[in-house]
Amino acid sequence: MRGAAKAGDVGNFLGSFGKPTDPFPTLMAGGLTVFALWREGREAEGVITWLTPTEGERAMGLPDGWTAFGHDGRPVSARARQKALGNSIALPCAEYIMAGVKEELEGGKQDSDT
């Protein structure tokens, strides 16, 4: 998207967004994108750094090496690990949401002061 915008390539820029058939047309919804971040101070240059699998695991609140092995015990490639992490939900977010669901199912918080 950034490269297309810099080059003034409207077709590729618009193609960076989700497809009309996607469940929700979010940025890159139709593609598979791994974690990336802007390098501080180099935004104007368009410099992106792809996170390593370990950095991705840490960003998601997972222990180091969580995605290192598949269900069969065989090592997983760094690219596959990055894709899996890019398509997952951060553990702290999931815990927060599920705590709210539990609270609602139990009838809301009981205030000990009342």
Side-chain angles (χ1 to χ4, degrees), residues 10-26:
V10 176
N12 277 330
F13 177 80
L14 294 176
S16 299
F17 292 89
K19 299 174 191 168
T21 56
D22 286 337
F24 191 76
T26 57

Side-chain angles (χ1 to χ4, degrees), residues 28-35 50 79-80 82-88:
M28 301 300 285
L32 195 55
T33 306
V34 298
F35 277 119
W50 303 108
R79 179 80 175 141
Q82 290 169 319
K83 287 180 182 181
L85 289 163
N87 287 315
S88 62

Side-chain angles (χ1 to χ4, degrees), residues 58-63 66 88-104:
R58 291 175 182 170
M60 299 303 280
L62 299 169
W66 184 260
S88 62
I89 183 172
L91 188 56
C93 294
E95 289 172 340
Y96 178 81
I97 291 167
M98 294 312 292
V101 169
K102 179 183 180 214
E103 182 181 310
E104 285 300 313

Side-chain angles (χ1 to χ4, degrees), residues 2 36-52 55:
R2 185 173 39 265
L37 58 93
W38 288 96
R39 272 293 167 216
E40 193 68 32
R42 298 185 69 188
E43 295 88 349
E45 299 171 47
V47 175
I48 293 182
T49 299
W50 303 108
L51 298 184
T52 66
E55 291 170 327

